C-alpha cells in the first residue's frame, strides 16, 4: 500500500475507525519528525506486529517551555515522508497546529507523581504537553498498540500510567534505545552538535558504560555510581550543565538505596546548544553496540 498522508484530524479518525470496524490491528508511532534510526526501529516493530501502521509527525508546541527549542527544532517533512514510506508505514498523519489546538482549546491531561522528578523537575509543563497531545493522537489514530522509545524512559512510563489510569484501550509497547556506532543515543537534537561538541556528548554513553562496569563488579551504592558518572561528565570540554544524574527505581522513578536489576540510571546534560538525555535500565537493557 502506498503511503497515505493525512493532515485533517477528522479524516484520520474516520479512517482508523473504519479499520477498527474491519477488525484490523493498528500500530501507531507518534513522533516529532526529523526521523532517525530510533524512529525507524519503532516503525519496524509496529510493522511486524500489526496489519496497518500509522505514524504521526507533529512538533507539539505545548511540550516546549519558554526559551526551549520549539522554533529551531529540526524539521524535514519531505525526507520524513520518504523514510516512512520505505519502512512500510501506511499512513502518515501530519496535522496543522491550529487543527490540534484551535483558539478555544482548554483541556489538558496531567499525570502527577511520575512527572515530578527527572525531566519533569527541569522542564515544567513538559509532560502535561506530552500527555495531552498523546491522548489526542491516541483518540485520532485509535491504535491497537502504540510504540515509544526507551531513550525517553520517563515519557514511556508516564504514558503507560496515563493509559492505565484513563482506561485507554491501547497497548503501550516500549523499544530499546538505538545508538550511533560510537554509542551516542540517537536523537533529532544531535543535529545541534558541532563535531567537537559531539565528542563531548559521548561522555554520557561513556559514563553509563562505567556504571555498567561498577554493576559487574557488584557495586550497589548509588552515591558511588553518581560520583563516577559526574567525574566523567564533568571532564567533557563542551559540557555546560548537568541537569540530573538520577538513580531510581525503573517503575516508580523514585530514588533507590541500592543499585540492582531494574534500577534506572538516567542522565540529562547540556552539551553545547543541545540538552541531551540518556539512560541505562540496569540488567534489562544492553549498552553493547552492534559489531
Ligand atoms: O517523543 C516524542 O517525540 C514526543 O514527545 C511525542 C511522544 C511524539 C509527543 O509529542
Amino acid at each position: 500500500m502506498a503511503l497515505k498522508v493525512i493532515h485533517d484530524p477528522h479524516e484520520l479518525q474516520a479512517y482508523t475507525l473504519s479499520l477498527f470496524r474491519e477488525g484490523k490491528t493498528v500500530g501507531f508511532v507518534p513522533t516529532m519528525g526529523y526521523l532517525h534510526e530510533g524512529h525507524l526501529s519503532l516503525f519496524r516493530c509496529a510493522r511486524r506486529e500489526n496489519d496497518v501502521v500509522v505514524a504521526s509527525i507533529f512538533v507539539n508546541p505545548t511540550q516546549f517551555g519558554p526559551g526551549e527549542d520549539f522554533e529551531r527544532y529540526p524539521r524535514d517533512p519531505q525526507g520524513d515522508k520518504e523514510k516512512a514510506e520505505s519502512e512500510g508505514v501506511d499512513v502518515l498523519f501530519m496535522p496543522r497546529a491550529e487543527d490540534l489546538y484551535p483558539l478555544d482549546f482548554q483541556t489538558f491531561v496531567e499525570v502527577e507523581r511520575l512527572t515530578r522528578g527527572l525531566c519533569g523537575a527541569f522542564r515544567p509543563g513538559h509532560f502535561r504537553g506530552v500527555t495531552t497531545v498523546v491522548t489526542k493522537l491516541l483518540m485520532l489514530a485509535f491504535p491497537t498498540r502504540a510504540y515509544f522509545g526507551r531513550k525517553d524512559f520517563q515519557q514511556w512510563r508516564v504514558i503507560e500510567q496515563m493509559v492505565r489510569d484513563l482506561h485507554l484501550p491501547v497497548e503501550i509497547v516500549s523499544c530499546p534505545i538505538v545508538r550511533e556506532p560510537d554509542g551516542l543515543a540517537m536523537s533529532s537534537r544531535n543535529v545541534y552538535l558541532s563535531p567537537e561538541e559531539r565528542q563531548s556528548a559521548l561522555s554520557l554513553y561513556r559514563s553509563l558504560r562505567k556504571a555498567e562496569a561498577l554493576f559487574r563488579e557488584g557495586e550497589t551504592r548509588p552515591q558511588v555510581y553518581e560520583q563516577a558518572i559526574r567525574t566523567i561528565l564533568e571532564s567533557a570540554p563542551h559540557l555546560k550543565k548537568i541537569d540530573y544524574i538520577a538513580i531510581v527505581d525503573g517503575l516508580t522513578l523514585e530514588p533507590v538505596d541500592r543499585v540492582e536489576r531494574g534500577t534506572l540510571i538516567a542522565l540529562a546534560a547540556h552539551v553545547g546548544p543541545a540538552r541531551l538525555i540518556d539512560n541505562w535500565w540496569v540488567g534489562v537493557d544492553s549498552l553493547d553496540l552492534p559489531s
Side-chain angles (χ1 to χ4, degrees):
M1 172 167 145
L3 179 73
K4 184 177 168 77
V5 177
I6 296 183
H7 297 285
D8 177 13
H10 297 111
E11 186 186 340
L12 177 69
Q13 200 172 47
Y15 183 66
T16 55
L17 285 175
S18 75
L19 293 173
F20 180 72
R21 282 188 214 105
E22 287 166 27
K24 297 247 165 65
T25 57
V26 173
F28 175 53
V29 184
T31 81
M32 298 206 299
Y34 209 69
L35 300 176
H36 52 67
E37 265 303 312
H39 300 113
L40 306 191
S41 75
L42 301 178
F43 293 166
R44 285 176 209 134
C45 198
R47 182 70 284 162
R48 275 195 304 275
E49 297 177 351
N50 301 278
D51 299 324
V52 177
V53 177
V54 178
S56 65
I57 294 182
F58 180 62
V59 184
N60 172 37
T62 64
Q63 69 187 76
F64 290 81
E68 290 191 348
D69 56 345
F70 173 66
E71 304 294 345
R72 69 189 169 108
Y73 195 85
R75 291 158 168 93
D76 179 18
Q78 192 48 42
D80 286 348
K81 279 182 210 163
E82 286 159 21
K83 286 177 190 154
E85 179 147 39
S86 70
E87 290 301 336
V89 170
D90 300 300
V91 178
L92 195 55
F93 178 48
M94 303 174 87
R96 287 168 290 258
E98 58 271 32
D99 288 334
L100 282 198
Y101 297 112
L103 280 180
D104 67 341
F105 184 84
Q106 47 191 305
T107 303
F108 289 85
V109 178
E110 212 161 344
V111 172
E112 296 194 343
R113 246 182 349 268
L114 273 177
T115 62
R116 288 197 191 130
L118 284 77
C119 285
F122 291 86
R123 303 187 67 191
H126 167 68
F127 285 114
R128 181 178 189 252
V130 169
T131 43
T132 300
V133 82
V134 170
T135 304
K136 288 163 69 66
L137 293 169
L138 292 175
M139 293 295 125
L140 297 171
F142 210 68
T144 320
R145 302 181 185 86
Y147 295 80
F148 293 86
R150 287 203 287 274
K151 185 169 82 65
D152 296 292
F153 195 99
Q154 186 178 18
Q155 168 173 280
W156 160 54
R157 292 285 306 113
V158 164
I159 287 165
E160 254 193 353
Q161 185 73 42
M162 172 187 88
V163 160
R164 229 184 5 259
D165 288 350
L166 298 181
H167 308 281
L168 300 182
V170 58
E171 181 189 335
I172 300 298
V173 182
S174 79
C175 303
I177 295 177
V178 179
R179 297 182 180 280
E180 301 278 0
D182 56 10
L184 185 66
M186 297 244 177
S187 164
S188 305
R189 291 188 166 98
N190 291 347
V191 72
Y192 299 150
L193 300 168
S194 70
E196 297 75 27
E197 289 160 350
R198 201 183 170 292
Q199 280 307 308
S200 285
L202 285 176
S203 62
L204 276 79
Y205 176 66
R206 274 203 299 272
S207 72
L208 293 173
R209 277 292 211 187
K210 174 68 187 174
E212 184 192 44
L214 288 170
F215 185 67
R216 284 218 186 97
E217 289 161 19
E219 181 58 66
T220 61
R221 292 165 297 173
Q223 60 279 20
V224 173
Y225 285 81
E226 215 235 275
Q227 194 45 58
I229 291 170
R230 187 172 295 280
T231 304
I232 293 174
L233 293 182
E234 286 179 349
S235 68
H238 297 278
L239 185 120
K240 283 198 180 142
K241 185 161 79 90
I242 298 172
D243 272 356
Y244 61 78
I245 299 167
I247 302 182
V248 295
D249 179 83
L251 291 180
T252 64
L253 307 185
E254 296 290 339
V256 290
D257 302 331
R258 264 178 75 82
V259 174
E260 56 194 10
R261 189 174 193 278
T263 299
L264 175 75
I265 302 184
L267 318 173
H270 297 255
V271 179
R275 181 181 187 275
L276 302 177
I277 57 174
D278 202 345
N279 69 71
W280 180 41
W281 195 5
V282 177
V284 182
D285 277 337
S286 167
L287 288 169
D288 289 347
L289 299 171
S291 45

